[in-house]
Amino acid sequence: APDRVFEHPVNTFVAGFVGSPAMNLIDLDVVANGTGATLQSKDGWSFALSPENARRAAASSGTVVLGARHSTINLFKEEHPEAIEGRVYTVEPTGDITYAHIYLGTALVVVSVTPDVKLEPDDRVWLAFDQEKLHLFDGVSQEAIVL
């Protein structure tokens, strides 16, 4: 069913093809730390995974493609615990929803916010991924990591 494909894409091709805007896909390294794991970008930013996502990342080839839909990323205008600092590239108001294009290092991520959230290019913002709606794909096979 279409909603099943949207919610549980089997690989990065499907994840990037189904939905508008397309799912954000970011290449990251998996760094194990005891019983947990952190995802690390080539740009130096990182974030700790929940225990369930750490188990999924441990089943990868050592690299993953993080997948997140625009609606599953929280944007904060002030520094926030466990959020990653980014910079606004551009803002796309569409009426009932605004799409903010945010640079996390060199990765460009699309986030949706309500129209009352006022953003300007080059604003500093902080993004937090919803760990329960995060998609992890193996960095080599590009297949979804499902346990």
Side-chain angles (χ1 to χ4, degrees):
D3 52 341
R4 173 97 174 122
V5 172
F6 178 83
E7 293 173 11
H8 303 284
V10 297
N11 58 39
T12 56
F13 173 78
V14 173
F17 184 76
V18 176
S20 180
M23 182 182 286
N24 296 293
L25 299 170
I26 307 169
D27 294 318
L28 299 165
D29 294 321
V30 178
V31 179
N33 50 17
T35 60
T38 299
L39 296 183
Q40 177 81 42
S41 80
K42 303 283 187 230
D43 301 313
W45 59 266
S46 64
F47 74 99
L49 291 171
S50 66
E52 179 181 340
N53 285 329
R55 284 191 297 279
R56 290 171 52 212
S60 75
S61 61
T63 61
V64 297
V65 178
L66 175 144
R69 299 257 179 228
H70 64 90
S71 59
T72 66
I73 304 171
N74 295 313
L75 181 142
F76 302 96
K77 292 184 78 172
E78 296 182 6
E79 195 167 349
H80 193 270
E82 300 180 19
I84 305 158
E85 184 177 349
R87 289 230 177 249
V88 176
Y89 171 63
T90 190
V91 180
E92 183 183 352
T94 66
D96 63 338
I97 195 168
T98 297
Y99 295 109
H101 300 254
I102 311 293
Y103 274 116
L104 291 180
T106 57
L108 189 60
V109 177
V110 179
V111 180
S112 57
V113 295
T114 58
D116 62 315
V117 176
K118 302 302 180 202
L119 299 168
E120 296 291 330
D122 292 323
D123 282 354
R124 290 174 58 198
V125 293
W126 287 262
L127 303 182
F129 295 97
D130 182 337
Q131 294 262 353
E132 292 183 14
K133 297 191 176 161
L134 199 67
H135 298 270
L136 295 176
F137 303 93
D138 183 77
V140 173
S141 72
Q142 306 289 289
E143 299 293 318
I145 303 171
V146 182
L147 297 180

